[in-house]
Amino acid sequence: MTLQQRFLAAGLAVSISGTAAFAQSMSPMRGEVASFTDAFAVRVFPANPYEHRIKVEIRVYDQDFRPVQARVAPSDFMLGGQASRPVLVVVPFDGAATRKVRICTESVPFPGEQTQIKAQICGKFLGQHKS
Amino acid sequence: MRFRWFLASLICSAAPLPALAATGNVIFNGTIAATCTLTVDTNGTMTVSPDLQSLSSNNAGGAPGTVTLSTTGGVTLSVDPVTSTTVPVGDVTATTWTPTYASSGAHAIAETGSSSSLTAPGSSTVTVNLAGTKGGSDRFTAGSYQATVTVRCE
């Protein structure tokens, strides 16, 4: 390796400082819901098992990980250490008799921290439209 | 004689009866739903190869990211294709990013980019690697690169 290549290699090295750990869990991770309306609701509980607070996002995807237009309350929030909070997710059937969705809890890096790994916990839920 | 019979019956009725033992079972039920916890312990460091066509945590001087996974089992571990990257303005050529992971501990998984079913409960250390490659005459340029790998447990 030439000196120029070494300099370039040093410049290219991506150094990440792991000053904070990002972690989360979510329960439940499985569920079936019967609904007589045009939507079904799921209540999930994201949890932060560590001492420091983290930023959490709740996202809803279909089976192919395409975003689903669901109502999530709240969808983005700060979660304190050792804390858990309920999040209500309302998913429309969009005319289907059944709908499978993934509800995912995602960690969000704090600004200025070069987090390269994003943790995502996803639960699988089935909604059944009863008439 | 009649008095004796009466007396005998009185004695019999006064004799202590054996106590009847009563037992009952107290039942405890518990259900553990499938759960998974991911902790990002360290992020990775990528270095460039001598031919400047590989920027990877597997190269000399690079380091994988580490994630601690804890689960009751019955979940799936996977990594997503990389969609979020930051590259220097001088890099205008295409890069192919390939994330992989391996696991040790309760779940032994050789390095792979595919999803893995975790049937057993326990805690594991997941090492995450990322490799960016360029083809043909394309080369990585000087500057800061950053890419985000999503590790999913579902």
Side-chain angles (χ1 to χ4, degrees):
Chain A
M1 182 183 281
T2 65
L3 184 61
Q4 186 179 7
Q5 284 178 326
R6 285 181 187 170
F7 179 76
L8 185 56
L12 285 175
V14 181
S15 177
I16 305 303
S17 58
T19 54
F22 297 94
Q24 74 280 316
S25 63
M26 186 184 77
S27 64
M29 292 182 69
R30 304 286 185 270
E32 291 187 20
V33 181
S35 173
F36 290 92
T37 69
D38 292 336
F40 66 97
V42 177
R43 193 181 300 277
V44 295
F45 293 83
N48 174 13
Y50 294 92
E51 298 299 333
H52 59 273
R53 66 178 187 161
I54 60 174
K55 186 175 183 184
V56 171
E57 291 179 351
I58 308 298
R59 297 289 180 261
V60 184
Y61 303 98
D62 67 7
Q63 294 183 82
D64 299 317
F65 275 99
R66 290 179 298 225
V68 169
Q69 295 301 314
R71 293 200 306 273
V72 183
S75 59
D76 304 352
F77 54 91
M78 299 297 295
L79 193 57
Q82 303 286 344
S84 174
R85 66 156 301 164
V87 173
L88 182 64
V89 180
V90 180
V91 183
F93 281 107
D94 285 344
T98 62
R99 191 162 195 190
K100 291 181 179 177
V101 295
R102 287 179 167 92
I103 299 174
C104 299
T105 297
E106 302 176 0
S107 60
V108 180
F110 288 112
E113 294 198 10
Q114 296 176 297
T115 295
Q116 282 189 298
I117 298 176
K118 188 176 196 177
Q120 187 182 59
I121 308 289
C122 295
K124 296 178 180 178
F125 298 91
L126 170 66
Q128 293 179 311
H129 195 188
K130 302 290 185 183
S131 55
Chain B
M1 184 65 179
R2 185 177 297 172
F3 176 75
R4 286 181 184 169
W5 277 108
F6 177 70
L7 190 60
S9 66
L10 273 181
I11 292 171
C12 287
S13 64
L17 294 172
L20 295 175
T23 60
N25 295 326
V26 178
I27 306 222
F28 292 84
N29 291 310
T31 302
I32 299 176
T35 187
C36 185
T37 301
L38 291 176
T39 308
V40 180
D41 298 316
T42 60
N43 293 290
T45 300
M46 297 184 289
T47 55
V48 72
S49 63
D51 65 1
L52 306 180
Q53 286 198 299
S54 166
L55 179 65
S56 172
S57 56
N58 284 312
N59 289 338
T66 58
V67 177
T68 298
L69 179 149
S70 184
T71 180
T72 55
V75 297
T76 302
L77 180 67
S78 61
V79 289
D80 262 2
V82 171
T83 56
S84 172
T85 60
T86 302
V87 302
V89 290
D91 186 346
V92 294
T93 58
T95 302
T96 301
W97 297 98
T98 306
T100 57
Y101 68 94
S103 174
S104 61
H107 313 96
I109 302 170
E111 187 160 8
T112 180
S114 305
S115 62
S116 302
S117 294
L118 309 181
T119 55
S123 183
S124 299
T125 298
V126 180
T127 56
V128 181
N129 280 293
L130 180 62
T133 55
K134 288 186 181 291
S137 59
D138 297 341
R139 298 289 186 273
F140 284 98
T141 59
S144 294
Y145 286 79
Q146 188 179 60
T148 301
V149 176
T150 299
V151 178
R152 178 182 303 119
C153 186
E154 66 174 336

